[in-house]
């Protein structure tokens, strides 16, 4: 057995350690991006979760935010830590519309600019307000497509409209979905999401595939958009029962009720899968019985080795069509796709320990994604990309 | 927004790190005092928890003690680790009155001096006893006011009577209360306990305040006792409905059944709040419907980031008065003050992450307390104050 | 009190740290052996736990193994980590007999040699298979005495038959027992297992001893086998009621239904206790009412501070004798010896914090065991004994 080649055993790791840091791909900036990519708006929660009478706390790219609506109903964000004694503002209260009051001593912060309007328990003449010596950091937040998006970098924020697909601004956009916090690296999430190969093995027996006969294999090509922010994965060939040398035919059986998935000559156009910066997988169904719609998965790093994933179904629709999709989502899609199907993915994302790794042909989707991120970070310069997170936790891709 | 000023966001912390160690106040010895202050007796449990037929284990200032009563009923303490094979003596047994026998191999220790009287499983002629090569460390412990107090420093112990208030020695002292182990820093506990400001915001809606209309703010002065071991906090001014510039009047409403708290001209004398070394807050009620009594809160560091808090009600009383207070405590005070009211404090003490911090006028109580500790430690010299605790855990005030 | 002598208090530890690393015995190679001893086969599970239609995962000496039977029924082991994307192979499936397929992307590994036979989701022409660039490490495993034994070192493995006692190969060997994973150091497990002294104190009141009157003390001698791989502990003297100077007679009472254990002049031959490399305690009952049989305890380090213990009863027996022992085991021995009795040991093994330690006369059994290990490691050279485990966890004997 050629142990130098495998890179696979626990034993080998100890040897590799001497030569090279474990947990590294060939993309150094990608490896550094523990807390996601700078220069983008990230969704933090759904819009209807933010109220005007009490705050909620979210975490994005190492920053903790307390969200509340001001008196006009606009969502605002302050740093989720009272500068006074360091307790979370997200357990505070709303004593005056448009202001967030700390639960501990009543320091009252203007949601719009983070100014200290009053330290209630020190009276109207409290010197701390006049000195201007206390200030809560504000964050830029916007509502779009039923979600709240935050920009946490220090530089000028790009236009949210420019970043998001056009239809996210449409008034007739139906947005259905959920989010979930996962203890895993956001990059493993995206890589699994844009990974062509695993569906045909991991999800073969999932509830979602009950009426589908999944191919054994496929060949793909990956194309890059002009702005280098989107990769599209296209299947160029696929096979069902296949005779593997030295093993035999696989998969073994097709149930009579299963319809081969995406067999050429099908009447409907196949879905198109793409991945977008900073970490969004889109599955566009141009020609589905429910009409044209999109599935989205958005990975947002919260802190090292923890992310929030948004799973969405969006459709531009009105009237009955809109209701039909909503009912289909609530009764079926949510449970069998966004829950049970996704749980299979999570099993892998949580168990994954790479690098080291040995990639194969379908992994060109993963390599292309890493290269796109690397290119983006190289152009941008690392500047404020360095994670603000103050932590002793491992910061590499590799779970330790 | 002037980010250099705020010191508040997660982002800022990373910058501060470069310039200055996080988690530091301006009092270096106070910052070091992870395990409490040397030179004092500390309560470790209630007297009736210690039996003469089996030991119990307690932890104080990084030391683990096994407590048991000897044949005269005197409480004794040995180090809670058998020198033989390192198992806790507090899971041992009493095979001979006045001696504690290790559960593992029967090494039998004299409670009075920690001498090895026998290694039972090695027979009466065991060389290990004759050599005098094994010895369990003893600790000085005393009973007072229904509690067991331990002195764990190596120097000569001060008189417990001198350290404690006179009435703790009184024969008619009623002592009611409880203790609780809390995963937080003992200094955050004391600081919250002597903090004037938070009660008017945090406890505003607590069960304890149902029939009280709490002031919005107060002004205090803090006076130091002659021996620099006690600080007393006195309210010099207070206000109820107050008009805050740019915000409006607060608090918003007073229920008809609420009586303004401590309004000047009240018939009863107000309580007096003081904090004492090494970490005791006393609220003296000179003129309460239940009679004159004291509330005490005593914080005892067990190990880094864990303390035991004693919450007591003491009263010098006999006969019916004594029974009335006991019933009031068991039926009401215990639950609404020592439990639900205190739980609000714990929410803050556990969430607090300071320094960095920005203090305001009422925090002079906290600053005075820190200064008093700093002065004490400066005078004493750090000598054996260095924590004996052998640990890789963070030793700073700041939770990480 | 001579604190320099005790080595016992928490306080003392901090002083010792300066002079000498804590957690060290006088045997440096023994102290290093966090993950057990090289050069031996170790049991990893029972043979009937390994199936031919799905794998199971085990851990031994820092190595993770996926076990499955091939098409001939032979147990095979691959490293429990797919070289592709680092997920455990032990959650994989059997798509083709004799091959283990990764659950994630269908990489299919030959159980016999770890070759990549197919990457199912990449089709029959997948380049990754032809390149030979992917290889799963295989491990040597064998079945013997109803257990699976693994050899994880890189050198040539000794004969399993040579390592094991002769009767383990016997066709009429009855093997009963269980295994349990314990969060403790394997050396504390073995030391407790071969420790003569503790039984007479710790197990005095156990269910196992209900009908036994346990001696107070014993004197032992320890003899070494010619090949320096086995130590035998023999009792040379013992005593029951004993008068300890300054304390009195102990043990205090003998119940009328208790029979003194091993009193000279008993009709039956006493059991013989030995410890064998790499960490096996054998209690041989030559003359038991159930016939001649052996108790075995085998400690196998899984990772630092976690071991798997095998507790066995073996007997060469056929027919009715065999059934009688099996019934006695299932109804009684399993529960009162392998569970409740062993739980008392685990209480100590988990609580033990040594070194520092102060040994006494009966601990010559422990010292002899340590010396035997030290001699073995010295002769062998440390070579590949250095643990392969890639971990930041504490690697010393001492729990921290």
């Amino acid at each position: 057995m050629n142990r130098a080649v495998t890179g696979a055993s626990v034993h080998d790791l100890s040897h590799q350690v001497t030569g090279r840091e474990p947990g590294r791909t060939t993309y150094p900036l990608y490896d550094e991006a523990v807390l996601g990519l700078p220069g983008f708006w990230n969704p933090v929660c759904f819009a209807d979760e933010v109220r005007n009478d009490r705050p909620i706390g979210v975490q994005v790219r190492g920053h903790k935010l307390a969200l509340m609506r001001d008196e006009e109903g606009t969502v605002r964000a302050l740093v989720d830590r009272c500068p006074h004694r360091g307790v979370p503002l997200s357990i505070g209260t709303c004593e005056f519309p448009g202001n967030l009051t700390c639960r501990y001593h009543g320091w009252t912060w203007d949601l719009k600019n983070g100014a200290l309007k009053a330290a209630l328990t020190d009276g109207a003449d409290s010197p701390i307000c006049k000195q201007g010596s206390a200030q809560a950091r504000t964050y830029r937040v916007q509502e779009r497509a039923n979600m709240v998006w935050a920009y946490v970098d220090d530089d000028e924020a790009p236009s949210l409209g420019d970043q998001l697909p056009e239809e996210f601004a449409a008034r007739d956009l139906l947005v259905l979905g959920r989010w979930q916090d996962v203890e895993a690296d956001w990059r493993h999430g995206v890589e699994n999401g844009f990974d062509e190969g695993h569906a045909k093995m991991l999800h073969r027996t999932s509830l979602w595939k009950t009426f589908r006969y999944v191919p054994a294999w496929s060949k793909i090509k990956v194309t890059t958009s002009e702005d280098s922010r989107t990769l599209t994965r296209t299947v160029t060939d696929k096979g069902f029962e296949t005779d593997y040398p030295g093993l035999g035919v696989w998969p073994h059986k097709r149930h009579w009720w299963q319809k081969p998935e995406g067999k050429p000559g099908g009447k409907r156009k196949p879905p198109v899968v793409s991945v977008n910066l900073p970490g969004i997988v889109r599955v566009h169904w141009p020609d589905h019985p429910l009409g044209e719609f999109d599935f989205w998965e958005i990975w947002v790093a919260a802190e090292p080795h923890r992310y929030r994933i948004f799973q969405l179904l969006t459709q531009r629709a009105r009237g009955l069509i809109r209701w039909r999709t909503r009912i289909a989502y609530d009764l079926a899609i949510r449970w069998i796709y966004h829950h049970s199907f996704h749980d299979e993915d999570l099993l892998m994302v949580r168990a994954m320990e790479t690098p080291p790794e040995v990639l194969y042909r379908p992994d060109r989707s993963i390599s292309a994604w890493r290269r796109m991120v690397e290119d983006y970070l190289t152009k941008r310069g690392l500047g404020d990309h360095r994670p603000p997170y103050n932590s002793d936790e491992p910061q590499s891709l590799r779970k330790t």
Side-chain angles (χ1 to χ4, degrees), chain A:
Chain A
M1 193 187 63
N2 185 347
R3 285 185 45 251
V5 169
T6 69
S9 78
V10 177
H11 206 109
D12 284 337
L13 288 181
S14 64
H15 295 296
Q16 294 192 351
V17 168
T18 57
R20 175 184 161 200
E21 211 175 338
R24 293 283 160 182
T25 67
T26 52
Y27 297 111
L29 298 182
Y30 184 76
D31 287 341
E32 292 282 317
V34 179
L35 284 170
L37 307 183
F40 293 95
W41 293 85
N42 286 286
V44 294
C45 64
F46 288 109
D48 53 14
E49 297 179 81
V50 186
R51 302 169 49 148
N52 64 3
D53 58 351
R54 63 166 194 238
I56 63 163
V58 297
Q59 221 173 330
V60 52
R61 304 196 57 231
H63 297 262
K64 293 180 179 174
L65 280 58
L67 303 178
M68 199 169 84
R69 291 180 187 277
D70 65 18
E71 60 274 47
E72 286 100 33
T74 308
V75 178
R76 303 285 182 176
L78 300 179
V79 65
D80 193 12
R81 181 186 184 280
C82 183
H84 176 213
R85 295 285 281 161
V87 302
L89 287 176
S90 59
I91 57 172
T93 61
C94 177
E95 301 292 324
F96 303 98
N99 295 273
L100 176 45
T101 296
C102 178
R103 178 85 183 277
Y104 198 9
H105 296 86
W107 288 33
T108 300
W109 305 92
D110 191 321
L111 284 171
K112 289 196 189 61
N113 57 17
L116 180 61
K117 296 274 278 290
L120 296 178
T121 55
D122 194 25
D125 66 340
S126 178
I128 195 77
C129 307
K130 290 165 194 157
Q131 292 158 0
S133 59
Q135 169 78 32
R137 178 174 181 181
T138 57
Y139 286 96
R140 284 159 284 187
V141 283
Q142 285 189 57
E143 283 184 67
R144 186 70 53 96
N146 198 29
M147 284 179 285
V148 177
W149 302 74
Y151 191 86
V152 299
D153 298 305
D154 291 328
D155 58 358
E156 201 172 333
S159 152
L160 178 57
D162 287 355
Q163 180 190 318
L164 297 186
E166 221 169 282
E167 67 262 42
F168 270 42
R171 299 201 48 183
D172 64 349
L173 188 74
L174 174 67
V175 179
L176 303 168
R178 61 190 283 276
W179 56 252
Q180 178 176 2
D181 290 326
V182 178
E183 303 280 338
D185 194 288
W186 73 279
R187 289 162 292 186
H188 281 147
V190 180
E191 290 177 359
N192 176 76
F194 192 54
D195 166 2
E196 162 73 12
H198 78 273
K200 292 177 288 296
M201 179 71 199
L202 177 65
H203 299 312
R204 173 162 295 280
T205 54
S206 79
L207 193 55
W208 188 246
K209 299 296 184 187
T210 306
F211 299 101
R212 301 270 158 185
Y213 185 57
V214 183
W217 55 267
S218 58
K219 290 190 169 44
I220 57 166
K221 81 170 179 228
V222 177
T223 53
T224 314
S225 68
E226 220 166 279
D227 65 356
S228 296
R229 298 206 161 194
T230 302
L231 299 173
T232 306
R233 198 178 79 194
T234 320
V235 173
T236 57
D237 194 8
K238 69 172 73 174
F240 290 84
E241 289 86 352
T242 301
D243 192 356
Y244 293 86
L247 289 172
V249 174
W250 188 84
H252 304 305
K253 59 179 168 184
R254 170 182 160 193
H255 299 291
W256 60 264
W257 63 79
Q258 288 181 317
K259 201 177 112 187
E261 189 179 73
K263 203 144 200 176
K267 273 173 282 179
R268 294 189 178 273
K269 280 189 245 163
V272 181
V273 182
S274 59
V275 66
N276 306 272
L277 294 179
I280 302 175
V281 164
R282 173 186 197 165
V283 183
H284 182 69
W285 291 84
D287 191 22
H288 192 273
L290 283 176
E292 184 177 1
F293 73 84
D294 291 280
F295 277 131
W296 304 86
E297 291 193 303
I298 310 179
W299 289 265
V300 182
E303 53 181 47
H305 214 70
R306 191 155 65 81
Y307 66 74
R308 177 166 289 188
I309 181 170
F310 290 81
Q311 297 180 288
L312 308 175
L313 182 165
T314 65
Q315 183 173 37
R316 296 195 57 175
R318 292 166 192 274
L320 279 179
I321 305 282
R322 195 176 176 93
W323 278 104
R324 185 182 60 181
T325 301
R326 188 187 287 273
I327 289 166
Y329 182 78
D330 283 346
L331 293 186
I333 298 174
R334 179 184 185 91
W335 308 112
I336 65 181
Y337 183 63
H338 281 173
H339 281 275
S340 86
F341 187 85
H342 182 235
D343 285 349
E344 296 178 338
D345 285 315
L346 287 188
L347 184 66
M348 294 300 135
V349 169
R350 290 188 181 118
M352 221 183 294
E353 288 194 358
T354 68
E357 62 193 0
V358 178
L359 299 184
Y360 75 146
R361 195 162 48 181
D363 288 329
R364 61 184 54 173
S365 57
I366 290 174
S367 297
W369 151 253
R370 289 177 182 170
R371 202 179 323 118
M372 181 167 74
V373 171
E374 192 76 8
D375 288 350
Y376 169 77
L377 291 173
T378 305
K379 270 179 219 145
R380 184 183 163 89
L382 265 182
D384 54 357
H385 164 62
R386 294 284 171 195
Y389 204 77
N390 178 27
S391 163
D392 293 333
E393 290 177 52
Q395 304 253 343
S396 87
L397 182 60
R398 183 179 167 77
K399 285 174 273 184
T400 51

